Protein backbone atom coordinates (compact mmCIF):
# COMPACT_ATOMS: atom_id res chain seq x y z
CA UNK A 1 0.00 0.00 0.00
CA UNK A 2 1.07 3.57 -0.65
CA UNK A 3 0.50 6.49 1.68
CA UNK A 4 -2.55 8.61 0.87
CA UNK A 5 -3.47 12.16 1.84
CA UNK A 6 -4.94 12.02 5.38
CA UNK A 7 -7.30 14.84 4.38
CA UNK A 8 -8.89 12.50 1.84
CA UNK A 9 -9.34 9.61 4.29
CA UNK A 10 -12.99 10.56 4.80
CA UNK A 11 -13.72 9.44 1.25
CA UNK A 12 -12.89 5.85 2.30
CA UNK A 13 -15.74 5.76 4.80
CA UNK A 14 -18.80 5.97 2.64
CA UNK A 15 -21.70 7.11 4.76
CA UNK A 16 -25.34 6.13 4.60
CA UNK A 17 -27.57 7.63 1.93
CA UNK A 18 -27.47 11.28 1.04
CA UNK A 19 -30.54 12.79 2.68
CA UNK A 20 -32.60 15.93 2.35
CA UNK A 21 -33.43 17.87 5.51
CA UNK A 22 -36.56 20.01 5.43
CA UNK A 23 -37.23 22.82 7.88
CA UNK A 24 -39.78 25.55 8.41
CA UNK A 25 -38.60 28.81 9.99
CA UNK A 26 -42.08 30.21 10.53
CA UNK A 27 -41.87 32.07 7.20
CA UNK A 28 -41.22 29.36 4.64
CA UNK A 29 -40.30 25.75 4.01
CA UNK A 30 -36.74 24.95 3.03
CA UNK A 31 -34.61 21.94 2.03
CA UNK A 32 -30.91 21.23 2.33
CA UNK A 33 -28.76 18.28 1.27
CA UNK A 34 -26.77 16.35 3.90
CA UNK A 35 -24.31 13.52 3.40
CA UNK A 36 -22.65 13.62 6.84
CA UNK A 37 -25.06 11.45 8.81
CA UNK A 38 -24.82 8.76 11.45
CA UNK A 39 -27.24 6.33 13.01
CA UNK A 40 -27.06 6.37 16.82
CA UNK A 41 -27.40 2.78 18.05
CA UNK A 42 -30.56 0.71 17.39
CA UNK A 43 -32.66 3.75 18.26
CA UNK A 44 -34.60 6.25 16.16
CA UNK A 45 -31.78 8.76 16.87
CA UNK A 46 -29.62 10.21 14.10
CA UNK A 47 -26.65 12.58 13.98
CA UNK A 48 -26.12 15.13 11.21
CA UNK A 49 -23.25 17.57 10.74
CA UNK A 50 -24.13 21.11 9.79
CA UNK A 51 -23.71 24.64 11.06
CA UNK A 52 -24.54 28.31 10.96
CA UNK A 53 -23.15 28.74 7.42
CA UNK A 54 -26.39 27.23 6.12
CA UNK A 55 -29.77 29.02 6.09
CA UNK A 56 -31.46 25.85 7.45
CA UNK A 57 -29.39 25.97 10.65
CA UNK A 58 -31.35 28.83 12.25
CA UNK A 59 -34.63 26.95 11.84
CA UNK A 60 -33.09 23.75 13.25
CA UNK A 61 -31.75 25.67 16.25
CA UNK A 62 -34.83 27.79 16.95
CA UNK A 63 -37.71 25.46 16.12
CA UNK A 64 -35.89 22.23 17.00
CA UNK A 65 -37.55 20.10 14.37
CA UNK A 66 -37.05 18.87 10.83
CA UNK A 67 -37.83 16.05 8.41
CA UNK A 68 -35.21 13.69 7.00
CA UNK A 69 -36.32 12.78 3.47
CA UNK A 70 -34.56 10.01 1.52
CA UNK A 71 -34.16 10.70 -2.20
CA UNK A 72 -33.41 8.07 -4.85
CA UNK A 73 -30.94 7.81 -7.73
CA UNK A 74 -33.06 9.55 -10.37
CA UNK A 75 -33.37 12.58 -8.04
CA UNK A 76 -29.58 13.15 -8.01
CA UNK A 77 -29.72 16.44 -9.94
CA UNK A 78 -32.38 17.87 -7.61
CA UNK A 79 -30.26 16.73 -4.64
CA UNK A 80 -27.18 18.53 -6.02
CA UNK A 81 -29.20 21.65 -6.91
CA UNK A 82 -30.67 21.78 -3.39
CA UNK A 83 -27.18 21.36 -1.90
CA UNK A 84 -25.62 24.09 -4.02
CA UNK A 85 -28.24 26.80 -3.51
CA UNK A 86 -29.68 28.49 -0.45
CA UNK A 87 -33.14 29.00 0.92
CA UNK A 88 -31.92 32.53 1.63
CA UNK A 89 -32.30 33.22 -2.10
CA UNK A 90 -34.90 30.85 -3.51
CA UNK A 91 -37.91 28.66 -2.71
CA UNK A 92 -36.32 25.25 -3.17
CA UNK A 93 -39.60 23.29 -3.23
CA UNK A 94 -40.77 25.34 -6.23
CA UNK A 95 -37.38 25.58 -7.85
CA UNK A 96 -36.60 21.85 -7.74
CA UNK A 97 -40.12 20.50 -8.31
CA UNK A 98 -40.68 18.85 -4.94
CA UNK A 99 -44.07 18.87 -3.19
CA UNK A 100 -44.28 19.71 0.52
CA UNK A 101 -46.74 17.53 2.45
CA UNK A 102 -47.99 18.29 5.92
CA UNK A 103 -46.29 16.23 8.62
CA UNK A 104 -48.19 14.96 11.68
CA UNK A 105 -45.95 16.14 14.51
CA UNK A 106 -43.66 18.85 13.14
CA UNK A 107 -44.06 22.02 11.07
CA UNK A 108 -41.29 21.00 8.67
CA UNK A 109 -42.88 19.32 5.62
CA UNK A 110 -42.47 15.81 4.23
CA UNK A 111 -41.29 15.58 0.60
CA UNK A 112 -43.96 13.73 -1.37
CA UNK A 113 -41.65 12.51 -4.14
CA UNK A 114 -39.04 10.96 -1.81
CA UNK A 115 -38.74 7.26 -0.96
CA UNK A 116 -39.08 7.82 2.78
CA UNK A 117 -39.56 10.60 5.33
CA UNK A 118 -38.74 10.76 9.05
CA UNK A 119 -40.26 13.45 11.26
CA UNK A 120 -37.64 14.50 13.79
CA UNK A 121 -37.09 16.65 16.86
CA UNK A 122 -33.69 18.24 17.50
CA UNK A 123 -32.68 16.89 20.92
CA UNK A 124 -29.07 18.06 21.16
CA UNK A 125 -26.61 20.37 19.40
CA UNK A 126 -22.91 19.62 19.96
CA UNK A 127 -21.57 23.02 18.93
CA UNK A 128 -17.86 22.13 19.17
CA UNK A 129 -18.19 19.73 16.22
CA UNK A 130 -21.35 21.12 14.56
CA UNK A 131 -23.20 17.89 15.26
CA UNK A 132 -26.97 17.90 15.64
CA UNK A 133 -28.71 14.94 17.25
CA UNK A 134 -32.21 14.20 15.98
CA UNK A 135 -34.86 11.90 17.39
CA UNK A 136 -37.25 10.37 14.88
CA UNK A 137 -40.88 10.43 15.98
CA UNK A 138 -42.71 9.20 12.87
CA UNK A 139 -41.51 7.51 9.67
CA UNK A 140 -43.08 6.93 6.25
CA UNK A 141 -41.93 4.66 3.41
CA UNK A 142 -43.27 4.59 -0.14
CA UNK A 143 -43.04 0.89 -0.99
CA UNK A 144 -44.82 1.45 -4.32
CA UNK A 145 -41.79 3.35 -5.63
CA UNK A 146 -40.21 1.34 -8.45
CA UNK A 147 -36.67 2.59 -7.96
CA UNK A 148 -35.53 2.33 -4.36
CA UNK A 149 -31.82 2.89 -5.04
CA UNK A 150 -30.38 5.46 -2.66
CA UNK A 151 -27.47 7.82 -3.36
CA UNK A 152 -24.18 7.58 -1.43
CA UNK A 153 -21.67 10.43 -1.51
CA UNK A 154 -17.97 9.64 -1.71
CA UNK A 155 -17.22 13.25 -0.78
CA UNK A 156 -15.29 14.30 -3.89
CA UNK A 157 -18.24 15.05 -6.17
CA UNK A 158 -18.76 11.39 -7.10
CA UNK A 159 -21.55 9.14 -5.87
CA UNK A 160 -22.21 5.43 -5.44
CA UNK A 161 -25.70 4.23 -6.27
CA UNK A 162 -27.17 1.49 -4.11
CA UNK A 163 -26.70 -1.94 -5.66
CA UNK A 164 -27.30 -5.58 -4.73
CA UNK A 165 -28.83 -6.45 -1.36
CA UNK A 166 -27.44 -9.53 0.41
CA UNK A 167 -28.39 -11.11 3.73
CA UNK A 168 -26.17 -12.29 6.62
CA UNK A 169 -29.09 -12.27 9.07
CA UNK A 170 -28.37 -15.79 10.32
CA UNK A 171 -24.69 -15.13 11.04
CA UNK A 172 -25.64 -11.91 12.87
CA UNK A 173 -28.49 -13.43 14.85
CA UNK A 174 -26.79 -12.96 18.25
CA UNK A 175 -26.42 -9.22 17.56
CA UNK A 176 -29.92 -8.72 16.21
CA UNK A 177 -32.07 -10.86 18.51
CA UNK A 178 -34.88 -8.88 20.11
CA UNK A 179 -33.93 -5.75 18.17
CA UNK A 180 -34.81 -6.22 14.51
C1 LIG B 1 -24.08 16.03 -2.05
C2 LIG B 1 -24.07 17.12 -1.02
C3 LIG B 1 -23.91 16.80 0.33
C4 LIG B 1 -23.90 17.81 1.31
N1 LIG B 1 -23.74 17.46 2.62
C5 LIG B 1 -23.73 18.43 3.57
C6 LIG B 1 -23.57 18.08 4.94
O1 LIG B 1 -23.48 16.91 5.32
N2 LIG B 1 -23.56 19.10 5.85
C7 LIG B 1 -23.69 20.42 5.49
O2 LIG B 1 -23.67 21.30 6.35
N3 LIG B 1 -23.85 20.77 4.19
C8 LIG B 1 -23.88 19.80 3.23
N4 LIG B 1 -24.07 20.14 1.92
C9 LIG B 1 -24.20 21.56 1.58
C10 LIG B 1 -25.58 22.13 1.88
O3 LIG B 1 -26.62 21.31 1.42
C11 LIG B 1 -25.63 23.53 1.21
O4 LIG B 1 -24.73 24.39 1.90
C12 LIG B 1 -27.00 24.15 1.06
O5 LIG B 1 -26.87 25.25 0.22
C13 LIG B 1 -27.64 24.59 2.36
O6 LIG B 1 -28.90 25.12 2.06
P1 LIG B 1 -29.59 26.27 2.91
O7 LIG B 1 -28.66 27.47 2.90
O8 LIG B 1 -30.87 26.53 2.18
O9 LIG B 1 -29.78 25.72 4.28
C14 LIG B 1 -24.08 19.17 0.93
C15 LIG B 1 -24.27 19.49 -0.43
C16 LIG B 1 -24.26 18.47 -1.38
C17 LIG B 1 -24.47 18.84 -2.82
Amino acid sequence: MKMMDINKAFTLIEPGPVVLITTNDGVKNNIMTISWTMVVDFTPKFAITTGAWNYSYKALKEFKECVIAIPTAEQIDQVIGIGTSSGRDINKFENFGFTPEKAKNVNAPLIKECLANIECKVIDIIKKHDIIILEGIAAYFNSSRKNKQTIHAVGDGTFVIDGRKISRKKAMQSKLEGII
Side-chain angles (χ1 to χ4, degrees):
M1 283 189 207
K2 285 192 189 137
M3 294 289 289
M4 70 175 278
D5 182 354
I6 186 62
N7 294 313
K8 300 228 165 78
F10 73 95
T11 63
L12 299 172
I13 305 178
E14 188 209 330
V18 174
V19 300
L20 298 172
I21 301 285
T22 79
T23 45
N24 181 292
D25 62 359
V27 180
K28 67 173 180 181
N29 294 324
N30 191 35
I31 325 174
M32 75 177 294
T33 303
I34 289 267
S35 58
W36 299 325
T37 65
M38 191 179 103
V39 165
V40 182
D41 210 333
F42 285 110
T43 63
K45 287 188 201 140
F46 312 95
I48 59 170
T49 308
T50 191
W53 57 90
N54 289 312
Y55 179 79
S56 306
Y57 184 75
K58 197 164 173 264
L60 285 164
K61 202 174 150 201
E62 280 182 24
F63 292 88
K64 298 207 175 324
E65 48 185 44
C66 67
V67 167
I68 303 175
I70 317 288
T72 51
E74 71 274 18
Q75 292 165 335
I76 181 76
D77 292 327
Q78 287 155 292
V79 167
I80 303 299
I82 287 165
T84 52
S85 60
S86 182
R88 253 180 231 111
D89 313 314
I90 56 168
N91 179 328
K92 294 201 208 175
F93 274 94
E94 279 176 12
N95 209 76
F96 297 102
F98 277 141
T99 314
E101 271 198 352
K102 210 171 157 24
K104 280 207 173 76
N105 309 282
V106 296
N107 281 322
L110 312 176
I111 302 181
K112 188 179 173 206
E113 291 81 5
C114 279
L115 177 65
N117 284 277
I118 311 168
E119 297 183 20
C120 294
K121 293 279 184 191
V122 173
I123 57 167
D124 206 356
I125 297 183
I126 305 164
K127 190 74 204 75
K128 189 175 173 198
H129 300 291
D130 291 313
I131 292 172
I132 298 182
I133 309 292
L134 306 174
E135 176 149 40
I137 47 175
Y140 310 81
F141 188 84
N142 185 351
S143 51
S144 70
R145 276 285 297 275
K146 214 168 165 202
N147 186 1
K148 298 186 180 67
Q149 287 180 299
T150 50
I151 305 162
H152 300 255
V154 175
D156 62 355
T158 63
F159 298 85
V160 177
I161 299 301
D162 219 15
R164 210 157 53 96
K165 190 176 190 177
I166 60 166
S167 173
R168 289 291 179 277
K169 278 191 178 182
K170 238 181 173 170
M172 287 186 65
Q173 208 169 354
S174 63
K175 291 272 179 214
L176 303 175
E177 235 160 33
I179 298 167
I180 284 262

